Amino acid sequence: MSDLELIHLAIGLAAVIIGVLMFWSLPIPVSSSRSTDGLPFLSIIIPARNEEGRISPLLQSLQEQRFRQFEILVVDDDSSDNTAAIAKSYGAKVLRNPGAGKSSACWHGAEQAKGKWLLFLDADTKFTSVDGLTNLLHFYQKKGAKGITALQPFHTVERLYEHISVVFNIIVVVGMNLFTIWGSRFKTAGSFGPCILCNREDYFLSGGHKKIEGAIMDDLALGEAFLEQNLPVRCLGGKGIISLRMYPEGVGSLIEGWCKSFAVGSKSTHPLVMLMVIFWITGSFITSGALISSIIDWNPTAIMFSGILYILYMIQTAWFASRVGNFRWAVFAFYPILFLFFVGIYLYSFIRVNVFHSVKWKGRNIKV
């Protein structure tokens, strides 16, 4: 093999190793107790804008929970569909919010809430076990019931196109800075957004969603608001507890959704973590490029080593993906396409944010 081929293989192997350090673990909240004794009354706040096709599974899963000491407040954010009627059919209290966005809806819900603890849920999430809510609440209680405990829901994939989100899902988790081999040594980038649990007192002390109104990445901004008050922010995985299906409407919605947040959110990632992410992504292209080059040159030795490295990258990416969603392993044989899509959307998002200063989401143009 040539010196250049050896360099490419060395970089690819280093990228695999760095990948392990970059995404060392993703803990989930577990509890040995199923008792709901001692848990306070909970207010579940669900901001919803045109969610008639997605909110029912969440409301149904809440009805099935063993823990029942809660109220459900669905804050209708100027919906033009049957979101409010569906929410009422499940016994939820519907609050009207005059189309001012998610942060405004969450704040409005918190102001009307009666619970000692507040749980903010995106309308497209759902609990996947009858003890999911109990486990989350017990974990929060065990940690002193202070600050934020946020879960990143397990991504449920149903259609083939949804697999192109996989690298985004991995990087969203890694970018929080908490899941490297160094654990919580790095400051968290903020909070996961789809599932946020906090107590009422801490929420209003931090300024809550009122303080961060207008922020594109409201989850990161809310976490930062809590940290400014020296309140802890804990982020965990939601596998076995809560799930979501992202962008079932189609590829256009998927691109719009990731574009809305990614270039902005990456600014909160620690430089060392970002460097590892860049190296890992770069390694995916170098590894696949080395295999293609060795086949074109028909170098059996290079084909063998680059093929082994390609398989290692494929297995590692699938392993990481299994922590964040139920992605089919077969798609990872074509992992370079998944990484290429990620890079393309990231660049598109970067241009929209830094050149046009505008992104689009759910029919709204959002200035950034």
Side-chain angles (χ1 to χ4, degrees):
M1 289 189 294
S2 67
D3 290 344
L4 182 59
E5 288 172 328
L6 289 172
I7 291 173
H8 286 167
L9 292 175
I11 292 174
L13 182 59
V16 170
I17 295 171
I18 285 175
V20 174
L21 304 180
M22 174 192 78
F23 196 8
W24 183 255
S25 66
L26 180 59
I28 60 175
V30 293
S31 173
S32 58
S33 173
R34 291 187 176 183
S35 172
T36 60
D37 295 340
L39 295 174
F41 187 73
L42 175 72
S43 291
I44 299 174
I45 301 166
I46 306 170
R49 175 176 168 82
N50 294 334
E51 299 286 0
E52 67 175 6
R54 298 199 284 187
I55 198 170
S56 292
L58 169 58
L59 298 174
Q60 179 65 39
S61 72
L62 288 173
Q63 287 188 344
E64 296 167 353
Q65 295 302 299
R66 293 186 196 274
F67 179 77
R68 298 292 302 165
Q69 301 170 45
F70 59 74
E71 63 174 349
I72 303 174
L73 305 178
V74 173
V75 187
D76 184 11
D77 188 20
D78 199 26
S79 295
S80 58
D81 62 6
N82 292 319
T83 297
I86 292 173
K88 289 178 181 178
S89 73
Y90 282 92
K93 180 179 179 180
V94 176
L95 305 176
R96 299 288 182 178
N97 195 59
K102 180 181 176 181
S103 291
S104 174
C106 288
W107 177 256
H108 184 56
E111 286 187 309
Q112 302 297 317
K114 299 176 181 177
K116 183 177 180 181
W117 292 358
L118 308 176
L119 177 60
F120 298 92
L121 295 175
D122 281 2
D124 54 357
T125 62
K126 69 174 181 178
F127 284 96
T128 54
S129 76
V130 296
D131 292 311
L133 181 56
T134 303
N135 286 339
L136 173 58
L137 298 179
H138 273 305
F139 178 88
Y140 187 65
Q141 187 179 58
K142 185 178 179 181
K143 294 298 182 180
K146 293 294 292 179
I148 283 175
T149 290
L151 303 188
Q152 180 65 9
F154 195 65
H155 187 176
T156 301
V157 177
E158 296 183 12
R159 297 169 64 185
L160 184 61
Y161 80 85
E162 295 174 63
H163 287 79
I164 58 178
S165 276
V166 63
V167 178
F168 290 94
N169 281 266
I170 293 171
I171 302 304
V172 159
V173 171
V174 170
M176 298 303 290
N177 304 326
L178 300 175
F179 308 110
T180 69
I181 193 173
W182 297 281
S184 59
R185 179 176 176 179
F186 300 131
K187 175 187 172 184
T188 178
S191 167
F192 288 135
C195 175
I196 296 175
L197 175 63
C198 61
N199 71 67
R200 183 183 186 88
E201 182 180 345
D202 289 350
Y203 178 80
F204 286 103
L205 175 64
S206 73
H209 287 89
K210 182 70 172 179
K211 181 176 181 179
I212 64 166
E213 193 168 352
I216 295 180
M217 296 298 289
D218 52 277
D219 45 359
L220 300 184
L222 184 64
E224 189 63 36
F226 272 70
L227 292 173
E228 288 175 3
Q229 297 298 325
N230 295 315
L231 296 168
V233 176
R234 299 181 180 89
C235 298
L236 303 99
K239 187 175 183 178
I241 295 178
I242 192 169
S243 70
L244 86 167
R245 185 182 174 203
M246 301 183 73
Y247 314 124
E249 300 87 356
V251 176
S253 176
L254 183 149
I255 292 173
E256 186 179 85
W258 286 121
C259 175
K260 173 182 71 77
S261 58
F262 223 82
V264 175
S266 64
K267 296 177 182 178
S268 300
T269 301
H270 189 280
L272 179 58
V273 178
M274 179 60 73
L275 186 63
M276 289 192 291
V277 168
I278 292 172
F279 198 92
W280 185 62
I281 292 172
T282 302
S284 72
F285 296 119
I286 290 177
T287 302
S288 54
L291 178 59
I292 293 171
S293 177
S294 66
I295 293 174
I296 292 174
D297 296 338
W298 199 249
N299 183 329
T301 302
I303 291 174
M304 180 181 69
F305 282 106
S306 60
I308 291 172
L309 198 55
Y310 188 95
I311 292 172
L312 280 176
Y313 234 102
M314 178 183 69
I315 292 173
Q316 183 183 64
T317 307
W319 173 41
F320 289 168
S322 69
R323 294 172 174 173
V324 299
N326 66 335
F327 300 95
R328 301 169 198 163
W329 279 60
V331 304
F332 296 101
F334 310 97
Y335 73 81
I337 297 174
L338 303 175
F339 282 91
L340 189 63
F341 181 80
F342 170 83
V343 171
I345 297 303
Y346 180 86
L347 292 176
Y348 175 60
S349 177
F350 185 88
I351 292 171
R352 289 298 303 263
V353 170
N354 294 280
V355 177
F356 296 102
H357 304 289
S358 174
V359 294
K360 188 176 181 180
W361 181 238
K362 292 190 175 182
R364 289 174 173 160
N365 285 313
I366 305 172
K367 297 294 182 181
V368 296

